[in-house]
Amino acid sequence: MPRGGGLMAPGLRPLLLLAFWMLASSARSPGEANHGGWPRYGPGAPVAVAEEERCTVERRADLSYAEFMQHYAFSRPVILQGLTDNSRFRVLCSRERLLASFGDSVVRLSTANTYSYRKVDLPFQEYVEQMLHPQDPLSMGNDTLYFFGDNNFTEWASLFRHYSPPPFGLLGTTPAYSFGIAGAGSGVPFHWHGPGFSEVIYGRKRWFLYPPEKTPEFHPNKTTLAWLRDTYPALAPSARPLECTIQAGEVLYFPDRWWHATLNLDTSVFISTFLS
């Protein structure tokens, strides 16, 4: 047979096709390949919101407790990598596992604005199957319902006991979990409270942060998506927040009284550990 020519050995073509498929699959991001059954954007999704041009929050993979206390605990946010292994918790947070375990549980939704405290209760399965859709860019905050916090800790204890929180604490504080799931483009507008950690389990969450002495420019009843579209582009460089997109498996620490707003770039599952 001429070199480089003609016939392919029997059975070789299926093997080559399988190899090409495996290469294509490995080229996908971890979020695409293993998103726990959660749709990245969902039906009717608007144009995907992008990550920031440049992350301005420091990432640390080797942070000691002494360094955390000296450089970050009271002064600035930091992204922690690799300090805990929540692979088991991640498996339990897949769409299939959560619906099987908590589908009939009643969850409490909050409005996605800064100063309203309207709550709506409904079964978790109804929230996932009917309300977990991309954010409507035209919706106001008081018309946008968001599942985050207000967890029944007794009912969800079987899940939370598998979560390994960041190993850093602050003297005189008690940790409290707040678990959430939200659609692409959703988020919480600017607000502040005590210090805490927030870990992304599935998806990506973009954060915007200002120190306590620098009040951000925002409308309390506009969503973070609307703020990013209407206000953010006009900000002078000196008026822009610290910002970064937190990937699955990363943990953001924010100090006491820091202003922050969030924007889920995908359908996201996340858990915060508030130090109150």
Side-chain angles (χ1 to χ4, degrees):
M1 182 184 297
R3 185 174 298 175
L7 298 176
M8 183 179 292
L12 184 57
R13 181 177 176 82
L15 289 174
L16 285 175
L17 290 174
L18 177 61
F20 285 134
W21 180 85
M22 291 178 68
L23 284 171
S25 297
S26 65
R28 300 172 188 165
S29 69
E32 287 283 3
N34 182 18
H35 204 58
W38 300 102
R40 293 299 299 268
Y41 306 116
V47 176
V49 181
E51 296 184 13
E52 67 288 337
E53 292 183 4
R54 183 173 69 91
C55 173
T56 51
V57 180
E58 189 178 2
R59 280 184 162 95
R60 293 293 304 270
D62 56 351
L63 191 64
S64 69
Y65 181 67
E67 289 178 298
F68 170 74
M69 293 300 295
Q70 181 178 357
H71 299 295
Y72 304 104
F74 306 105
S75 57
R76 66 183 191 270
V78 63
I79 298 167
L80 308 175
Q81 297 176 312
L83 293 183
T84 55
D85 178 8
N86 276 306
S87 53
R88 171 63 177 163
F89 184 75
R90 179 180 170 87
V91 169
L92 295 175
C93 288
S94 71
R95 187 179 188 274
E96 181 181 3
R97 296 291 287 270
L98 282 182
L99 284 176
S101 299
F102 303 103
D104 295 331
S105 300
V106 173
V107 295
R108 174 158 290 184
L109 311 182
S110 304
T111 49
N113 55 353
T114 299
Y115 300 119
S116 172
Y117 296 96
R118 184 169 71 92
K119 308 290 185 181
V120 173
D121 294 342
L122 79 171
F124 178 65
Q125 183 164 350
E126 182 178 335
Y127 173 72
V128 169
E129 294 180 348
Q130 299 182 24
M131 302 186 67
L132 196 59
H133 49 66
Q135 173 72 40
D136 180 350
L138 301 179
S139 290
M140 300 299 286
N142 60 359
D143 293 323
T144 302
L145 293 171
Y146 193 82
F147 173 44
F148 177 54
D150 286 315
N151 308 121
N152 182 323
F153 288 93
T154 300
E155 198 164 15
W156 291 75
S158 60
L159 175 67
F160 292 158
R161 71 166 176 257
H162 295 283
Y163 179 65
S164 297
F168 303 147
L170 298 177
L171 187 64
T173 65
T174 302
Y177 293 148
S178 192
F179 180 71
I181 304 171
S186 64
V188 176
F190 280 106
H191 63 288
W192 60 264
H193 44 66
F197 301 91
S198 185
E199 179 167 356
V200 173
I201 307 302
Y202 289 109
R204 297 169 297 156
K205 184 183 286 286
R206 186 171 170 181
W207 282 71
F208 308 90
L209 303 111
Y210 285 98
E213 67 275 9
K214 196 170 183 178
T215 302
E217 178 186 342
F218 72 102
H219 188 290
N221 196 31
K222 283 192 175 181
T223 63
T224 306
L225 187 62
W227 175 86
L228 183 65
R229 178 194 63 204
D230 301 335
T231 303
Y232 179 91
L235 294 176
S238 60
R240 291 208 167 181
L242 293 179
E243 59 179 307
C244 197
T245 297
I246 310 304
Q247 308 290 335
E250 293 185 321
V251 181
L252 175 77
Y253 169 75
F254 51 88
D256 187 29
R257 295 177 180 267
W258 271 65
W259 289 93
H260 53 279
T262 61
L263 184 66
N264 298 294
L265 304 189
D266 312 309
T267 302
S268 298
V269 180
F270 46 92
I271 185 168
S272 290
T273 305
F274 292 122
L275 304 177
S276 57

CSV table of all heavy atoms in Angstrom, one decimal, residues 14 58-59 69 93 103 115 120 123-124 139 144 166-167 171 191 195 197 199-200 206 209 211 243 268 270-271:
chain,number,residue,atom,x,y,z
A,14,PRO,N,-13.9,3.9,14.8
A,14,PRO,CA,-14.6,4.2,16.1
A,14,PRO,C,-13.7,4.6,17.2
A,14,PRO,O,-14.1,5.5,18.0
A,14,PRO,CB,-15.3,2.8,16.4
A,14,PRO,CG,-15.4,2.2,15.1
A,14,PRO,CD,-14.2,2.5,14.3
A,58,GLU,N,-7.1,39.8,45.6
A,58,GLU,CA,-6.0,38.9,45.7
A,58,GLU,C,-6.4,37.4,45.9
A,58,GLU,O,-7.3,37.2,46.7
A,58,GLU,CB,-5.0,39.3,46.8
A,58,GLU,CG,-3.7,38.5,46.8
A,58,GLU,CD,-2.7,39.0,47.9
A,58,GLU,OE1,-3.1,39.9,48.6
A,58,GLU,OE2,-1.6,38.5,47.9
A,59,ARG,N,-5.8,36.5,45.2
A,59,ARG,CA,-6.1,35.1,45.4
A,59,ARG,C,-4.9,34.5,46.2
A,59,ARG,O,-3.7,34.7,45.8
A,59,ARG,CB,-6.2,34.3,44.1
A,59,ARG,CG,-7.6,34.5,43.4
A,59,ARG,CD,-7.7,33.6,42.1
A,59,ARG,NE,-9.1,33.4,41.8
A,59,ARG,CZ,-9.7,34.1,40.9
A,59,ARG,NH1,-9.1,35.2,40.3
A,59,ARG,NH2,-11.0,33.9,40.6
A,69,MET,N,-5.0,36.9,59.6
A,69,MET,CA,-5.3,37.9,60.6
A,69,MET,C,-4.5,39.2,60.4
A,69,MET,O,-5.1,40.3,60.6
A,69,MET,CB,-4.9,37.3,62.0
A,69,MET,CG,-5.8,36.2,62.4
A,69,MET,SD,-7.6,36.6,62.5
A,69,MET,CE,-7.6,37.8,63.8
A,93,CYS,N,-24.9,18.4,46.4
A,93,CYS,CA,-25.6,19.7,45.9
A,93,CYS,C,-26.0,19.6,44.4
A,93,CYS,O,-26.4,20.6,43.9
A,93,CYS,CB,-24.7,20.9,46.2
A,93,CYS,SG,-24.6,21.4,47.9
A,103,GLY,N,-36.9,18.1,47.9
A,103,GLY,CA,-37.9,18.6,47.0
A,103,GLY,C,-39.2,19.1,47.7
A,103,GLY,O,-39.8,20.1,47.2
A,115,TYR,N,-33.3,47.2,50.7
A,115,TYR,CA,-34.0,47.5,51.9
A,115,TYR,C,-35.3,46.8,52.2
A,115,TYR,O,-36.0,47.1,53.2
A,115,TYR,CB,-34.1,49.0,52.0
A,115,TYR,CG,-32.8,49.8,52.0
A,115,TYR,CD1,-32.5,50.7,51.0
A,115,TYR,CD2,-31.8,49.5,53.0
A,115,TYR,CE1,-31.3,51.3,50.9
A,115,TYR,CE2,-30.6,50.2,52.9
A,115,TYR,CZ,-30.4,51.1,51.9
A,115,TYR,OH,-29.2,51.7,51.8
A,120,VAL,N,-41.3,35.1,50.6
A,120,VAL,CA,-42.3,34.2,49.9
A,120,VAL,C,-41.8,32.8,50.2
A,120,VAL,O,-40.7,32.4,50.0
A,120,VAL,CB,-42.4,34.4,48.4
A,120,VAL,CG1,-43.3,33.4,47.8
A,120,VAL,CG2,-42.9,35.8,48.1
A,123,PRO,N,-42.5,25.3,48.0
A,123,PRO,CA,-41.7,24.1,48.0
A,123,PRO,C,-40.4,24.2,47.2
A,123,PRO,O,-40.4,24.9,46.1
A,123,PRO,CB,-42.6,23.0,47.4
A,123,PRO,CG,-44.0,23.6,47.7
A,123,PRO,CD,-43.9,25.1,47.6
A,124,PHE,N,-39.4,23.6,47.7
A,124,PHE,CA,-38.1,23.7,47.0
A,124,PHE,C,-38.2,23.2,45.5
A,124,PHE,O,-37.6,23.8,44.6
A,124,PHE,CB,-37.0,22.9,47.7
A,124,PHE,CG,-35.7,22.9,47.1
A,124,PHE,CD1,-34.9,24.1,47.0
A,124,PHE,CD2,-35.1,21.7,46.6
A,124,PHE,CE1,-33.7,24.1,46.4
A,124,PHE,CE2,-33.9,21.7,46.0
A,124,PHE,CZ,-33.2,22.9,45.9
A,139,SER,N,-36.6,43.7,35.3
A,139,SER,CA,-37.3,43.5,36.5
A,139,SER,C,-36.6,44.4,37.6
A,139,SER,O,-35.4,44.5,37.6
A,139,SER,CB,-37.3,42.0,37.0
A,139,SER,OG,-38.1,41.3,36.2
A,144,THR,N,-38.1,40.6,42.2
A,144,THR,CA,-37.2,39.5,41.9
A,144,THR,C,-37.0,38.7,43.2
A,144,THR,O,-36.5,39.2,44.2
A,144,THR,CB,-35.8,40.0,41.4
A,144,THR,OG1,-36.0,40.8,40.2
A,144,THR,CG2,-34.9,38.9,41.1
A,166,PRO,N,-14.3,27.3,55.8
A,166,PRO,CA,-12.9,27.8,55.9
A,166,PRO,C,-12.4,27.7,57.3
A,166,PRO,O,-13.1,27.9,58.3
A,166,PRO,CB,-13.0,29.3,55.4
A,166,PRO,CG,-14.2,29.3,54.6
A,166,PRO,CD,-15.2,28.4,55.2
A,167,PRO,N,-11.1,27.3,57.5
A,167,PRO,CA,-10.5,27.1,58.8
A,167,PRO,C,-10.2,28.3,59.6
A,167,PRO,O,-9.6,28.2,60.7
A,167,PRO,CB,-9.3,26.3,58.5
A,167,PRO,CG,-8.8,26.8,57.1
A,167,PRO,CD,-10.1,27.1,56.4
A,171,LEU,N,-12.1,36.0,66.7
A,171,LEU,CA,-12.4,35.9,68.1
A,171,LEU,C,-13.7,36.6,68.5
A,171,LEU,O,-14.0,37.7,68.0
A,171,LEU,CB,-11.3,36.6,68.9
A,171,LEU,CG,-11.3,36.4,70.5
A,171,LEU,CD1,-11.2,35.0,70.9
A,171,LEU,CD2,-10.3,37.3,71.1
A,191,HIS,N,-25.1,46.0,49.8
A,191,HIS,CA,-25.5,46.0,51.2
A,191,HIS,C,-24.3,45.7,52.0
A,191,HIS,O,-23.2,45.5,51.5
A,191,HIS,CB,-26.6,45.0,51.5
A,191,HIS,CG,-26.1,43.6,51.2
A,191,HIS,ND1,-25.9,43.1,49.9
A,191,HIS,CD2,-25.8,42.6,52.1
A,191,HIS,CE1,-25.5,41.8,50.0
A,191,HIS,NE2,-25.4,41.5,51.3
A,195,PRO,N,-18.6,40.3,59.0
A,195,PRO,CA,-17.6,39.6,58.1
A,195,PRO,C,-18.1,38.2,57.8
A,195,PRO,O,-19.0,37.6,58.4
A,195,PRO,CB,-16.3,39.5,59.0
A,195,PRO,CG,-16.8,39.5,60.4
A,195,PRO,CD,-18.0,40.4,60.4
A,197,PHE,N,-17.5,34.5,54.9
A,197,PHE,CA,-16.9,33.8,53.8
A,197,PHE,C,-18.0,33.3,52.8
A,197,PHE,O,-19.1,33.0,53.3
A,197,PHE,CB,-16.1,32.5,54.2
A,197,PHE,CG,-15.0,32.7,55.2
A,197,PHE,CD1,-15.3,32.7,56.6
A,197,PHE,CD2,-13.7,33.0,54.7
A,197,PHE,CE1,-14.2,32.9,57.5
A,197,PHE,CE2,-12.7,33.2,55.6
A,197,PHE,CZ,-12.9,33.1,57.0
A,199,GLU,N,-18.6,30.6,49.5
A,199,GLU,CA,-18.0,29.6,48.6
A,199,GLU,C,-19.0,29.3,47.5
A,199,GLU,O,-20.2,29.1,47.7
A,199,GLU,CB,-17.6,28.3,49.4
A,199,GLU,CG,-17.0,27.3,48.5
A,199,GLU,CD,-16.4,26.1,49.2
A,199,GLU,OE1,-16.3,26.2,50.5
A,199,GLU,OE2,-16.0,25.2,48.6
A,200,VAL,N,-18.5,29.2,46.3
A,200,VAL,CA,-19.3,28.8,45.1
A,200,VAL,C,-19.1,27.3,45.0
A,200,VAL,O,-18.0,26.7,44.9
A,200,VAL,CB,-18.8,29.5,43.8
A,200,VAL,CG1,-19.5,28.9,42.6
A,200,VAL,CG2,-19.1,31.0,43.9
A,206,ARG,N,-19.9,36.7,40.4
A,206,ARG,CA,-19.1,37.9,40.3
A,206,ARG,C,-19.4,38.8,41.5
A,206,ARG,O,-20.6,39.1,41.8
A,206,ARG,CB,-19.3,38.6,39.0
A,206,ARG,CG,-18.4,39.8,38.7
A,206,ARG,CD,-18.7,40.3,37.2
A,206,ARG,NE,-18.0,41.6,37.0
A,206,ARG,CZ,-18.1,42.2,35.8
A,206,ARG,NH1,-18.7,41.7,34.8
A,206,ARG,NH2,-17.4,43.4,35.7
A,209,LEU,N,-17.0,45.0,45.5
A,209,LEU,CA,-16.8,45.3,46.9
A,209,LEU,C,-16.3,46.8,47.1
A,209,LEU,O,-15.4,47.2,46.3
A,209,LEU,CB,-15.9,44.3,47.6
A,209,LEU,CG,-16.3,42.9,47.5
A,209,LEU,CD1,-15.3,42.1,46.6
A,209,LEU,CD2,-16.3,42.2,48.9
A,211,PRO,N,-14.9,49.4,50.4
A,211,PRO,CA,-14.6,49.5,51.9
A,211,PRO,C,-15.7,50.4,52.6
A,211,PRO,O,-16.5,51.1,51.9
A,211,PRO,CB,-13.3,50.2,51.9
A,211,PRO,CG,-13.2,51.0,50.6
A,211,PRO,CD,-13.9,50.2,49.6
A,243,GLU,N,-13.3,44.0,42.4
A,243,GLU,CA,-14.2,43.0,41.8
A,243,GLU,C,-13.5,41.8,41.4
A,243,GLU,O,-12.3,41.8,41.1
A,243,GLU,CB,-15.0,43.6,40.6
A,243,GLU,CG,-14.1,44.1,39.5
A,243,GLU,CD,-14.9,44.7,38.4
A,243,GLU,OE1,-15.8,44.0,37.9
A,243,GLU,OE2,-14.7,45.8,38.0
A,268,SER,N,-26.2,29.1,39.8
A,268,SER,CA,-25.1,28.9,40.8
A,268,SER,C,-25.7,28.3,42.1
A,268,SER,O,-26.8,28.7,42.5
A,268,SER,CB,-24.5,30.3,41.1
A,268,SER,OG,-23.8,30.8,40.0
A,270,PHE,N,-24.3,28.0,46.1
A,270,PHE,CA,-23.3,28.7,46.9
A,270,PHE,C,-23.7,28.6,48.4
A,270,PHE,O,-24.8,28.4,48.7
A,270,PHE,CB,-23.1,30.1,46.5
A,270,PHE,CG,-24.5,30.9,46.3
A,270,PHE,CD1,-25.0,31.6,47.3
A,270,PHE,CD2,-25.1,30.8,45.0
A,270,PHE,CE1,-26.2,32.2,47.1
A,270,PHE,CE2,-26.3,31.4,44.8
A,270,PHE,CZ,-26.9,32.2,45.9
A,271,ILE,N,-22.7,28.8,49.2
A,271,ILE,CA,-22.9,28.8,50.7
A,271,ILE,C,-22.0,29.8,51.3
A,271,ILE,O,-20.8,29.9,51.0
A,271,ILE,CB,-22.7,27.3,51.3
A,271,ILE,CG1,-23.1,27.3,52.8
A,271,ILE,CG2,-21.3,26.8,51.0
A,271,ILE,CD1,-23.2,25.9,53.3
